[in-house]
Amino acid sequence: MSFLLRLVVPDRPGILGAVATALGTAGVDIVSVDVLERGGGVAVDDIVVDLPADRLPDSLITAAQAVDGVQVESLRPFAGPLDTHRELELLESLARAAEGTAVKLLAAELPRVFHSGWAVVLHGGDDRPCEVLAASDAAPTFDGMVLPWLPMPAPRLLPSDEEWLPDRWRDMAIEMMAAPFGTDRTAVVLGRSGGPVYRRSELLRLVHLTGIAASVAHLPPA
């Protein structure tokens, strides 16, 4: 079974090698490593691993934290295809998409790009119920919700303790981030239940990607 392991590690030479050695000694295969951000003497890394059937997920935490200074921020099952050029492949697909389908394609593929649970594209503002333009599998229902952050002139993180969230969403600890998509009344929202929280570096990646995607997608009028 595959898992996504988010680590906060000291930003020093050889630390990923030490983590890889510790995981390998525990019989764990590393599939991919994404460095999310660096600063303040630490780095945040997402590591996708394959765990043998006879090992418990807790063994991943034990093995990683056996390396001095390494902290496990989150551990969750990982499913779906994995590659090292996710953003480029998505943009190429959007460029080839038929008119009117680019927004649906964006919502369907963004969870894979950002190791997220779901994505939606919303349109609304001015205290009116929002309209769902597209949604991936597993996305919660936004139809009819009045979102206080629409219109949104700038991207933002939407943590699981915000007051506008339905109680059930808070109970599920749904973490989200959102970016304008072509107009401040249209937003791309990514979410995942139970964390980990989105980082600023992930939000910046989303802004960059949706900015390019907006140039090839057909958006609703402002």
Side-chain angles (χ1 to χ4, degrees), residues 9-221:
V9 305
D11 191 7
R12 63 171 185 258
I15 189 67
L16 281 180
V19 171
T21 298
L23 293 175
T25 301
V28 178
D29 292 330
I30 294 178
V31 179
S32 77
V33 177
D34 284 335
V35 180
L36 294 182
E37 60 186 39
R38 300 172 68 179
V42 299
V44 180
D45 302 326
D46 273 353
I47 302 179
V48 177
V49 300
D50 283 340
L51 185 67
D54 61 344
R55 301 296 176 90
L56 296 175
D58 285 353
S59 66
L60 290 169
I61 299 176
T62 301
Q65 293 188 159
V67 180
D68 186 42
V70 173
Q71 298 179 3
V72 176
E73 184 174 287
S74 66
L75 173 67
R76 58 193 177 96
F78 178 84
L82 183 70
D83 56 73
T84 58
H85 302 287
R86 297 181 292 270
E87 290 92 340
L88 291 177
E89 288 191 354
L90 174 55
L91 291 173
E92 289 176 359
S93 297
L94 289 172
R96 297 193 302 267
E99 182 174 345
T101 65
V103 174
K104 293 181 180 180
L105 178 62
L106 184 70
E109 293 297 321
L110 276 177
R112 178 174 67 93
V113 173
F114 286 91
H115 295 161
S116 298
W118 49 266
V120 296
V121 182
L122 306 173
H123 185 68
D126 298 330
D127 296 325
R128 293 179 299 179
C130 69
E131 175 189 0
V132 177
L133 303 180
S136 71
D137 292 339
T141 300
F142 281 83
D143 284 302
M145 293 182 65
V146 176
L147 303 175
W149 42 268
L150 274 179
M152 59 180 312
R156 58 177 293 177
L157 299 173
L158 300 169
S160 58
D161 59 355
E162 292 208 343
E163 292 184 358
W164 65 272
L165 288 166
D167 290 340
R168 185 170 61 88
W169 294 18
R170 293 190 195 183
D171 293 341
M172 295 170 63
I174 293 180
E175 300 289 341
M176 292 178 283
M177 63 176 177
F181 188 42
T183 166
D184 62 3
R185 296 176 183 275
T186 304
V188 174
V189 183
L190 268 77
R192 52 193 173 210
S193 300
V197 299
Y198 285 101
R199 296 270 178 167
R200 285 284 173 183
S201 57
E202 293 178 286
L203 184 60
L204 292 175
R205 281 178 60 205
L206 178 63
V207 171
H208 177 71
L209 182 57
T210 54
I212 298 174
S215 66
V216 297
H218 296 272
L219 306 179

